[in-house]
Each structure stands twice: as C-alpha cells, then as structure tokens.
Amino acid sequence: MIFSKTLNRWYSINKRELPWRQTKNPYSIWLSEIILQQTQVKQGLPYYEAFLVNFPTVFDLARAEEQDVLKLWQGLGYYSRARNIHLTAKYIVNQYDGVFPNNYTALLKLKGVGDYTASAIASICFNEPKAVVDGNVYRVLSRYFGVETPINSSKGIKEFKTLAQELIDHENPADYNQAIMEFGAVQCKPQNPDCSVCPFNTTCFAFNKNQIQQLPVKIKAEKAKKKYFNFLVIISKEEQTILKKREGKGIWQNLYQFPLIETSKSMNQDEFHSILKNHDVLKGLNYELSLYNETAIIHKLSHQHLYTKFWIVTTHASLTEGITFLEIHKYPVPLLIENFIKDFNF
DNA sequence: AATCCGGGGCT
DNA sequence: AGCCCAGGATT
C-alpha cells in the first residue's frame, strides 16, 4: 500500500506531459502502446502524431493500404507491428463495428496485443486492475525488492508478473501502471540513476546493498551474425530503377529494396562482376558496373550486422518493371535503403 | 524454452 | 566495435 502511494505521489509531481496522457480513447491508447513497444518515447512520439493525423479513427486505418501504413511506420522498426495494427484495425471495424473491446481477455485476442499491451489498454481506458510489466517495471521491481531471477527467463516473467499484480493500486490502476513505468523511465533509469533524490532510497534493496548496476539480472543475448548484402542500384537511361518487395519470412517483410544478392563474404569489383553474369534481373542486359561505397556500410540490427555494398548498374536498355526516380519515395523501405536514397540524391 | 524481429544511444 | 535497451509471434 505504501509502495503505490509513494509512487503515485512521485508521478503526480514528475510525470511528463505526453499526448497520449490527454485521452482515454482506446484507439489512441492502443496506437501509442503498440508504437512504444521496444521503443523510447522520444523516438515514438513523432510517429504517434503522424498516425493520428493520417488516420484519426480506426475506420481510417482500416481503409488504408498496407503499403501506406508501412510507409508511415518507416524507420521505426519491428515492422510486424505496422502490419498487425492494420490487420487489427480491419478486424475491429468488421467484428466490433469499430468499437474496441473493453476488457483484458478480449483485448489479448487482438493480433499484436500481448500481455503487456492488453494490461495497459484495459487499465488505462477501462480501469481494470491488470498490472503492466514492461522493461521499466522489471527494473524497478528487481531493484527495489532485490529480485535476482533473470527477467528474460520463463521463471522471471511469471515471478515479476505475480509481484506486479500484488502491488497494483486497485483504486486507480490507470495512474498506478503509468506511474511505475514513468518512474522506471525517468528516475530508476538503466544507467546512472540519481538515487539521492529517489523517494524510495531508504527502503530500496539495490540502493542499500549497492546493487544498482547488477539489477535487473538478464540472460545475455547471442552475438549478432554477420551478413553480406549487395544491392543492385539499376539506373536506366529513362531515369528508372527497380525496387523489389521483400516476401516471405525474415527481416523487413513487405518493405521494398533494390534487387539484393547476398554473399558469404565481402565482394570486390571483379568477384562481384562474375557473380552478376548469371543473375535474373540483369539477364540479357548490357550494363556497366561500379561500386558506390568502397567500405561496406555496417547496418546493425539486434541479431545481425549487415555489411552492405551498393553497386551502381548503368544501362541504356529500358526496364520492363522499372519505376521512375520520383516514384521511389512512395515505397516503404528499410532505413538502410532510405539512407542510401537520400545520399544518392535520386 | 529458444529464437526472430529494428533501430537508437552510449562508451 | 561492443554493449544496453526489450514485447509479441513463431517454432
């Protein structure tokens, strides 16, 4: 009881003014919660504003083309979130006449909505006492109570969920949930928190045992694998190029890119030239090849590092599947491609 | 239970 | 270059 009281007092004084705190509209809250998954407020904020401007209601989002939703999501990463909000918007319109379900269990059935997001929407919009457990909550609870179970183990996930649920303020779950997350983000930060001004510093386990750096405990991730990407930037006489949609599984699903040839090592001009001879996209084409970036661009994802070279393929032929330079900007592309497009000045 | 899925930020 | 951040779906 003391815990939630102290937390709520801290929150009322220190909370940031954020646009999704001005509303209880389930559509807005849902949108903000999906955007904020794995994403910091600073990065997600402009996307939240843009989505509400472009798609003010769930009906507008449901009517959109997936490509336009992905375009608006471009740069934010984890693109399944964008595909899922589009799917779910259509589902809400068709199955619920555009009205969001009003409880945890029904919310959990939505694509892209897991335990965290269902708890967030249910508590914030409908005052259902379901405790949210996001990265901030793991950190706050593990430090304050000295819980050493790894937060990314099955045991840890259950343990922290149970603990969080025991602590929730049943009088005001909406503010309590937001308070503990905001406290984790602003005060009980991952690195170098200023514990001297923390309202919990007399009773916090980690602070008093000098364990702030050690908590929370987390199982280490595998090292990122190296991959070697070669993009064919085809430039035709008629100012056209070729973009391909990424199909199937893997990264950047349904986004576009220049024709890609993945190799087992970094290629030089001669090596790549011989590989190119029997490639589909250039079949029967007369072209000249030049390397745009001598040193590979390293694009870092959490689980793979992409060593990337852009190869300029100039041709006098006309392209049957070509798009004009002006049209490039309508296609959703990964940041790696977007950065090249800007640099190349199409 | 383990792995995949982006991109930002700090050192 | 190496490290931390961390929800949901899939297998």
Side-chain angles (χ1 to χ4, degrees):
Chain A
M1 285 307 108
I2 300 295
F3 186 79
S4 69
K5 249 201 155 60
T6 307
L7 205 51
N8 284 337
R9 192 175 303 124
W10 178 91
Y11 183 60
S12 64
I13 297 167
N14 296 287
K15 71 173 171 186
R16 294 167 290 182
E17 291 298 327
L18 297 169
W20 46 84
R21 296 206 172 125
Q22 314 291 326
T23 179
K24 296 272 183 183
N25 181 328
Y27 173 68
S28 303
I29 298 299
W30 166 68
L31 213 46
S32 74
E33 291 300 344
I34 302 293
I35 287 172
L36 292 173
Q37 287 168 7
Q38 308 288 103
T39 305
Q40 304 227 319
V41 166
K42 189 188 170 192
Q43 194 196 358
L45 191 52
Y47 287 85
Y48 174 80
E49 308 276 21
F51 264 85
L52 279 184
V53 168
N54 283 271
F55 309 118
T57 71
V58 70
F59 298 99
D60 301 306
L61 183 54
R63 268 198 298 272
E65 292 295 325
E66 184 187 85
Q67 182 169 329
D68 296 326
V69 178
L70 283 170
K71 184 65 192 180
L72 210 53
W73 198 272
Q74 181 181 299
L76 198 53
Y78 289 118
Y79 296 94
S80 64
R81 293 184 292 171
R83 299 191 302 271
N84 281 336
I85 59 167
H86 189 224
L87 279 175
T88 294
K90 289 192 279 190
Y91 178 78
I92 299 280
V93 166
N94 293 329
Q95 301 298 316
Y96 293 108
D97 290 327
V99 181
F100 266 79
N102 66 354
N103 63 84
Y104 171 85
T105 308
L107 286 163
L108 196 55
K109 293 188 169 70
L110 304 175
K111 258 282 194 331
V113 174
D115 176 75
Y116 162 75
T117 307
S119 299
I121 302 171
S123 62
I124 294 170
C125 300
F126 308 113
N127 260 319
E128 189 175 343
K130 284 282 185 182
V132 292
V133 185
D134 74 341
N136 296 305
V137 177
Y138 281 123
R139 188 168 53 254
V140 171
L141 296 184
S142 70
R143 283 176 176 169
Y144 183 80
F145 292 101
V147 181
E148 295 178 10
T149 318
I151 61 171
N152 52 350
S153 65
S154 303
K155 187 161 176 277
I157 290 166
K158 282 181 203 158
E159 208 171 311
F160 281 97
K161 178 76 183 177
T162 304
L163 176 55
Q165 192 60 39
E166 285 168 359
L167 292 166
I168 196 169
D169 177 5
H170 285 253
E171 295 302 307
N172 193 348
D175 281 345
Y176 172 82
N177 271 341
Q178 295 187 81
I180 191 166
M181 292 192 286
E182 185 77 345
F183 179 76
V186 173
Q187 171 62 45
C188 196
K189 298 183 296 181
Q191 305 299 330
N192 309 315
D194 184 3
C195 300
S196 69
V197 298
C198 179
F200 290 110
N201 61 14
T202 56
T203 45
C204 174
F205 176 93
F207 179 64
N208 289 296
K209 304 272 188 193
N210 220 339
Q211 293 282 301
I212 291 292
Q213 292 294 334
Q214 282 69 45
L215 292 171
V217 175
K218 193 181 294 189
I219 299 164
K220 289 264 186 280
E222 294 281 320
K223 267 194 184 166
K225 290 189 170 67
K226 290 182 180 179
K227 290 194 167 191
Y228 300 90
F229 277 13
N230 301 276
F231 287 111
L232 301 180
V233 184
I234 301 171
I235 305 292
S236 82
K237 209 177 180 181
E238 293 124 334
E239 300 217 313
Q240 289 197 326
T241 189
I242 289 177
L243 288 181
K244 296 263 193 197
K245 189 174 183 175
R246 288 187 66 98
E247 311 276 2
K249 297 187 189 304
I251 58 173
W252 301 329
Q253 197 185 353
N254 294 5
L255 272 67
Y256 289 77
Q257 65 185 17
F258 299 105
L260 168 66
I261 298 175
E262 191 178 342
T263 50
S264 56
K265 66 180 191 64
S266 195
M267 293 285 120
N268 65 33
Q269 181 100 12
D270 288 344
E271 292 168 331
F272 196 60
H273 202 94
S274 58
I275 286 181
L276 231 44
K277 281 184 180 127
N278 36 15
H279 198 270
D280 295 352
V281 199
L282 303 174
K283 201 164 53 186
L285 217 62
N286 282 322
Y287 60 85
E288 278 182 34
L289 179 69
S290 72
L291 177 55
Y292 183 73
N293 54 314
E294 206 57 54
T295 49
I297 294 164
I298 305 170
H299 189 74
K300 292 181 172 185
L301 309 181
S302 50
H303 59 296
Q304 47 187 298
H305 291 176
L306 310 177
Y307 288 70
T308 308
K309 287 185 174 173
F310 291 92
W311 300 88
I312 311 300
V313 180
T314 319
T315 180
H316 290 284
S318 38
L319 307 169
T320 44
E321 295 169 43
I323 62 163
T324 68
F325 292 173
L326 283 173
E327 289 174 312
I328 293 177
H329 306 283
K330 295 192 303 191
Y331 291 86
V333 297
L335 210 53
L336 173 63
I337 302 297
E338 177 70 11
N339 290 340
F340 171 80
I341 290 172
K342 282 181 186 154
D343 198 53
F344 192 70
N345 266 315
F346 270 100

